[in-house]
Amino acid sequence: MPRIFGRQREKPSSGRARSLTEPAPVRWLLTAAAIGFILLFLLVPLLLIFAKAAEDGFGAYIAAVSEPYALAAIRLTLITAIITVPLNLLFGLAAAWAITKFEFRGKNILVTLIDLPFSVSPVVSGMLFVLLFGAQGFCGPWLQEHGIKIIFALPGIVMATAFVTSPLVARELIPLMRGQGTEEEEMALTLGASGLQTFLRVSLPKIKWGVFYGVVLCSARSVGEFGAVSVVSGHIRGLTTTVPLHVEMLYNEYQFVAAFAVASLLTVLALVALVLKSLIEWKTSERGAQR
Amino acid sequence: MSDRQRGVLPGFGLSMGFTLSYLGLLVLIPLGTLFLKMAAMSWSHFVEVVLSPRALAAYRLSFGAALSAATINAVCGLLLAWVLERYYFPGKRLIDGLIDLPFALPTAVAGIALTTMYAGNGWVGQHLASLGIKVSYTPLGVVVALTFVGLPFVVRTVQPVLRDLPVAVEEAAASMGAGRLQIFFRLILPELLPAAVTGFTLAFARGLGEYGSVIFIAGNMPMRSEITPLLIMIKLEEYDYAGATAIALVFLVASFATLLFINALSLRVGARARTG
């Protein structure tokens, strides 16, 4: 119950005995240094995005986020996320179920393989799909003969995004489900529930916040993926540019206000993800406290 | 192994089958092509590409900047975890929530924001410029971007350890006359160090492969401020797939070595926790 501990120590500096905390000037100095670091690396960049986006007024902002290319980019990003997130959710659920509810040889290898995309640079991840499906790639000639386009088109963007974000849900669920064991599921089965019923009624409710958090994280990353998508997209404006790529193109064309305006949409989305995360943490710690 | 030994729950075949096919199709086959492509290359060509001065300069910058950023993150991450867990100040909740921003914010957005902020005429850059320090479009800019990207790791690994540290140990030490500095360096820091090292390694591995936030701020001059992922990107854009593959492979092996190091480290830390 580590979280409950954290709650009780809401004001540790005032609650702690004098011998167990630092002298006030030291506390102030350390706090000031920490806040300074946060200002320089998090808060000021965050404010700057919105300030630059609003520099030319409300009209310019609306124009930048509602021009046809921006709308096409938003559409492409949403389609990519709508395909990627459910696939990775299914993968995460299946992988976590297999790994935490059963014993089998090579389990550690499987866990390492699931984590693998995290240690591959996004650019390299995108490159793998170019090597496979690009014009000079292994399947390139065959695909060309049959008129199938994967690279510089939606399928390539979806695959690259799915590759990069595939560990997120599984990573969230495996530690959570490992701690829960299999007793309750076994009990449900003994009492006559079917396998599917057991999963839906017993297992899923226990991990619903973990699933929710995994989906939030996976969505945020899918929407924002840049390096891998950059390699497979080909930067065809209005056709294969996702929102982050659209931001890049605007920025490189010195359309700074428009770039930051579109970037501010992504920033709002990231902030929503952070709020949801805090909410989930608050919810789960509250439940822990009731037990 | 029979089903009895494995467990009594249903769905092993289904979940395992889906996991392996998804992993195989999406991750393993694409990674395999990297090695196939590499096998088609002659050894001398491989060595020539991988050890070219431009590639060597890119590795140096990537590893150097990732190492510097991870070190900054280790020190500042310890400080942040400490302040967030032990002290109270207004806005603490907000800052605690914001720590994860680099996980959620698209890297390209972070890149353009940091570049604008630290450019010669930017909010922070103009003050640094008057001191003679240039950040944007220099290797220092790469370090700044990687520091942003790796910021949450050390904070988030150290925080739970610090939270669960028993107060009784500190009380006992204090009652026997130990000063705060002594308690921190002899009692608290050794407890936090394994978590901090894990966070450091994660930040380092993340910084090594980072692309989106760096390319805007780096200036991207060959031999000087060109990171390895960008060099791979440039080779791809020139349709030099063999060259891109060779550099990517060397880079990948370095990243995996880091991953193995993390795993070995966490195993050792786990073993220590069990015996201690």
Side-chain angles (χ1 to χ4, degrees):
Chain A
M1 310 269 117
R3 283 212 177 89
I4 307 168
F5 245 86
R7 280 176 171 259
Q8 281 169 345
R9 287 203 211 153
E10 192 65 72
K11 293 186 178 183
S13 55
S14 49
R16 275 175 171 251
R18 189 170 286 252
S19 63
L20 289 180
T21 186
E22 290 71 43
V26 176
R27 289 205 308 262
W28 293 334
L29 209 70
L30 291 178
T31 309
I35 292 178
F37 182 71
I38 289 295
L39 274 177
L40 222 51
F41 281 94
L42 289 183
L43 229 44
V44 174
L46 199 59
L47 291 177
L48 181 132
I49 295 167
F50 292 105
K52 291 282 169 190
E55 216 166 56
D56 287 355
F58 190 65
Y61 181 88
I62 293 296
V65 297
S66 62
E67 54 131 347
Y69 287 135
L71 291 179
I74 292 170
R75 219 179 71 108
L76 178 64
T77 301
L78 287 180
I79 293 173
T80 307
I82 285 169
I83 302 173
T84 309
V85 175
L87 276 178
N88 283 338
L89 173 61
L90 266 182
F91 170 66
L93 280 171
W97 183 263
I99 285 168
T100 61
K101 304 290 182 190
F102 302 97
E103 283 310 318
F104 56 91
R105 232 175 289 164
K107 192 187 267 195
N108 286 334
I109 298 175
L110 184 61
V111 173
T112 308
L113 285 180
I114 289 172
D115 274 346
L116 208 57
F118 273 160
S119 52
V120 178
S121 169
V123 173
V124 177
S125 313
M127 189 186 98
L128 299 177
F129 294 98
V130 174
L131 290 182
L132 253 182
F133 303 118
Q136 297 175 37
F138 288 98
C139 309
W142 187 88
L143 289 170
Q144 242 162 11
E145 245 170 62
H146 293 76
I148 305 169
K149 246 184 124 46
I150 291 184
I151 298 303
F152 304 156
L154 179 69
I157 294 173
V158 169
M159 279 191 250
T161 308
F163 179 99
V164 173
T165 57
S166 63
L168 288 167
V169 180
R171 257 221 156 159
E172 204 51 47
L173 292 183
I174 291 171
L176 183 66
M177 285 168 71
R178 191 171 272 160
Q180 289 173 343
T182 58
E183 276 172 34
E184 286 171 345
E185 280 85 358
E186 283 166 17
M187 218 166 339
L189 287 170
T190 319
L191 292 175
S194 75
L196 189 67
Q197 272 177 326
T198 308
F199 177 72
L200 292 178
R201 300 259 181 102
V202 179
S203 309
L204 209 53
K206 285 194 294 185
I207 55 167
K208 63 175 182 211
W209 292 112
V211 171
F212 186 43
Y213 181 48
V215 167
V216 168
L217 214 60
C218 189
S219 311
R221 281 295 188 82
S222 305
V223 167
E225 180 46 37
F226 179 76
V229 173
S230 196
V231 177
V232 295
S233 124
H235 290 79
I236 309 166
R237 189 160 241 166
L239 281 179
T240 64
T241 46
T242 59
V243 180
L245 294 182
H246 186 61
V247 171
E248 181 205 16
M249 287 170 88
L250 289 172
Y251 186 85
N252 286 343
E253 288 160 0
Y254 303 103
Q255 301 190 45
F256 295 131
V257 173
F260 278 105
V262 180
S264 73
L265 297 180
L266 293 171
T267 311
V268 169
L269 221 57
L271 291 175
V272 169
L274 289 188
V275 169
L276 286 177
K277 181 191 180 246
S278 303
L279 219 73
I280 293 165
E281 266 170 9
W282 178 72
K283 261 287 197 250
T284 45
S285 74
E286 193 181 48
R287 244 191 8 177
Q290 278 169 1
R291 272 192 191 171
Chain B
M1 221 183 272
S2 76
D3 276 354
R4 279 178 64 87
Q5 283 167 295
R6 216 172 247 145
V8 292
L9 297 185
F12 180 73
L14 184 69
S15 59
M16 195 63 173
F18 183 75
T19 303
L20 287 182
S21 7
Y22 193 79
L23 206 59
L25 285 174
L26 192 71
V27 178
L28 299 182
I29 292 180
L31 271 173
T33 56
L34 199 63
F35 291 90
L36 271 178
K37 186 86 192 164
M38 150 78 204
M41 238 174 131
S42 78
W43 178 247
S44 58
H45 185 206
F46 176 79
V47 171
E48 190 193 312
V49 171
V50 161
L51 296 180
S52 70
R54 192 173 170 188
L56 288 179
Y59 307 143
R60 217 171 13 246
L61 177 65
S62 278
F63 276 86
L67 207 62
S68 317
T71 310
I72 294 172
N73 276 327
V75 175
C76 294
L78 274 172
L79 171 72
L80 276 168
W82 181 267
V83 167
L84 287 173
E85 283 304 313
R86 293 269 168 127
Y87 302 156
Y88 176 80
F89 55 93
K92 177 172 137 165
R93 270 289 165 85
L94 186 76
I95 288 186
D96 196 18
L98 268 183
I99 296 283
D100 287 320
L101 183 71
F103 283 155
L105 193 70
T107 52
V109 175
I112 63 169
L114 289 170
T115 310
T116 310
M117 183 176 150
Y118 286 96
N121 56 0
W123 289 1
V124 175
Q126 55 183 323
H127 302 296
L128 292 174
S130 62
L131 299 170
I133 305 170
K134 272 188 72 180
V135 178
S136 287
Y137 319 120
T138 67
L140 192 58
V142 181
V143 177
V144 167
L146 295 185
T147 304
F148 173 86
V149 165
L151 195 147
F153 289 104
V154 176
V155 184
R156 290 307 187 219
T157 48
V158 169
Q159 251 181 336
V161 183
L162 193 54
R163 195 177 302 150
D164 293 342
L165 225 53
V167 195
V169 181
E170 281 175 64
E171 275 169 357
S175 71
M176 288 189 280
R180 277 313 284 174
L181 267 182
Q182 231 180 338
I183 291 178
F184 179 77
F185 282 106
R186 308 274 298 262
L187 281 178
I188 301 175
L189 195 60
E191 290 293 325
L192 302 183
L193 222 47
V197 170
T198 306
F200 169 88
T201 326
L202 287 170
F204 176 66
R206 175 82 164 87
L208 217 47
E210 176 57 22
Y211 176 75
S213 59
V214 177
I215 51 158
F216 296 98
I217 203 167
N220 306 329
M221 273 179 298
M223 305 297 296
R224 186 157 177 269
S225 55
E226 184 180 67
I227 53 165
T228 314
L230 179 70
L231 184 58
I232 296 171
M233 189 68 137
I234 290 171
K235 297 255 177 217
L236 282 174
E237 277 167 4
E238 292 166 351
Y239 295 103
D240 178 9
Y241 288 178
T245 307
I247 292 171
L249 209 66
V250 168
F251 205 54
L252 212 59
V253 168
S255 307
F256 288 164
T258 318
L259 188 79
L260 283 178
F261 181 67
I262 298 172
N263 284 348
L265 204 76
S266 52
L267 276 180
R268 257 187 54 191
V269 170
R272 237 188 55 175
R274 270 195 299 279
T275 52

